Amino acid sequence: MSRLSQLLRVAGLGVALALLAARPSLAQAAEAAIPTASAAPAAASEAQTLLLWFLLGTLALVILLILLLATMLVVRLRPQLRRLYELPTVRPTWSGRVLGLLVGDSTLVRGEVRDEILDHDYDGIHEFDNDLPPWWKYSFYATIVFAISYLSYYHLAGAGQLQGAEYAAEMQQAALFVSAEADDPNKLTTYQPLTAAGDLSSGKSLFTTNCAPCHGANAEGKVGPNLTDEYWLHGGEVNHVYKTIKFGVQGKGMVAWKGKLSGKQILQVSSYLLSLQGTKPAGAKEPQGEKEAPGQPMAKL
């Protein structure tokens, strides 16, 4: 046991030296963490963060030394622990099984292995009478406890929100952060179609330059849908068209023209599209989307 005493003294001395070495730095960090009347709050916060990390590092070092000491003790005392584990009054107990892990017996984890064959077989297949692994049984028991707790908390007591209610609450909270300005894609504008010849001419020029490659020179539809029939994918009222042009349709190939065209230019294009309704150009693409009630100024993108 003299060697064990030496190991204990060395480990204790290591811990003491670590704490003594940390003491000056700890004192300096503590002084820096106390803000003076002229110190900036940011500097005080940074000093407190450094102090926290220093304390965590010191704690980790102490824990590492304790684990190292415990490992050395177990290795050194393994023969004595083995003799203790072999005692008939110790081995069957729970503490004895934990002790068995330290001396190399994994019965606590894998369970008892008994090579006893049951008195029945199926098609020549024999079944052994072995225990389920304890880790599996205790995990199964834990799932039962969790299920009962979940049912009691969420369904019987009603203390917690279910998924539907939680989703609704999160969406309601998220709506508070959504901008209500003109750049809000969830807010529909209230524009009226432009009817002046100059605006429609500008809208046609913008359409020919930016939209014709996908929708055709006469809006008959190519890659994009036909814009002259009465079937609409995203709403044909002028403000729906304005929204579609401005913000695009993600995943459908319709790019957002926000930042490329001004608000007035987008409204000019939208109004020009309304003027094309019912023109029935040659080679028009098959209808897409849903049919909307006639008599409303509409267009489709």
Side-chain angles (χ1 to χ4, degrees):
M1 296 295 290
S2 59
R3 188 172 180 181
L4 177 62
S5 300
Q6 293 177 357
L7 292 174
L8 290 174
R9 284 197 295 270
V10 170
L13 181 60
V15 174
L17 290 176
L19 293 177
L20 289 175
R23 198 173 168 187
S25 300
L26 182 62
Q28 294 176 2
E31 292 177 358
I34 302 176
T36 60
S38 59
S45 177
E46 182 179 357
Q48 291 176 355
T49 303
L50 292 176
L51 175 61
L52 175 62
W53 282 110
F54 179 81
L55 292 176
L56 291 176
T58 304
L59 179 61
L61 178 62
V62 172
I63 293 176
L64 181 61
L65 290 174
I66 292 175
L67 291 177
L68 179 61
L69 176 61
T71 303
M72 294 168 60
L73 285 174
V74 170
V75 173
R76 182 65 179 172
L77 296 176
R78 193 166 186 176
Q80 291 83 352
L81 294 176
R82 167 65 70 176
R83 289 195 293 269
L84 177 63
Y85 176 66
E86 295 296 337
L87 293 176
T89 56
V90 174
R91 188 165 186 169
T93 63
W94 176 262
S95 58
R97 293 180 180 180
V98 175
L99 181 61
L101 290 177
L102 299 178
V103 298
D105 188 352
S106 60
T107 302
L108 180 63
V109 177
R110 61 180 174 82
E112 296 281 347
V113 178
R114 299 187 300 269
D115 292 332
E116 299 177 2
I117 300 178
L118 298 178
D119 57 354
H120 60 272
D121 65 85
Y122 300 94
D123 296 331
I125 300 175
H126 299 280
E127 182 180 358
F128 285 91
D129 185 17
N130 292 325
D131 289 342
L132 288 171
W135 65 266
W136 190 96
K137 291 191 292 186
Y138 295 134
S139 299
F140 180 69
Y141 298 152
T143 60
I144 296 176
V145 173
F146 175 81
I148 295 175
S149 302
Y150 184 92
L151 179 66
S152 302
Y153 183 80
Y154 286 99
H155 293 276
L156 298 181
Q161 290 183 331
L162 296 178
Q163 291 181 346
E166 186 177 2
Y167 174 77
E170 290 180 356
M171 292 299 293
Q172 184 178 6
Q173 184 178 10
L176 300 176
F177 297 96
V178 176
S179 172
E181 303 298 329
D183 287 338
D184 180 8
N186 297 311
K187 181 180 179 182
L188 201 62
T189 55
T190 57
Y191 296 132
Q192 295 295 324
L194 302 175
T195 56
D199 290 321
L200 295 179
S201 177
S202 298
K204 179 179 180 180
S205 176
L206 291 168
F207 177 86
T208 302
T209 303
N210 302 291
C211 308
C214 288
H215 293 283
N218 298 311
E220 70 276 11
K222 288 185 177 179
V223 178
N226 178 6
L227 304 178
T228 64
D229 58 24
E230 53 187 356
Y231 289 84
W232 328 110
L233 290 172
H234 307 291
E237 195 270 333
V238 64
N239 293 288
H240 287 96
V241 178
Y242 183 93
K243 174 183 175 181
T244 304
I245 297 174
K246 183 174 183 178
F247 298 106
V249 181
Q250 187 175 5
K252 298 296 184 180
M254 177 62 188
V255 299
W257 291 94
K258 172 186 175 183
K260 303 173 184 177
L261 299 178
S262 67
K264 183 176 181 179
Q265 289 176 324
I266 296 176
L267 184 57
Q268 288 173 337
V269 175
S270 303
S271 301
Y272 169 71
L273 291 176
L274 295 179
S275 68
L276 298 178
Q277 299 307 293
T279 55
K280 299 181 180 180
K285 194 174 181 180
E286 293 294 326
Q288 293 175 265
E290 298 181 0
K291 186 176 180 180
E292 294 191 7
Q296 299 179 358
M298 299 175 182
K300 175 182 66 175
L301 286 176

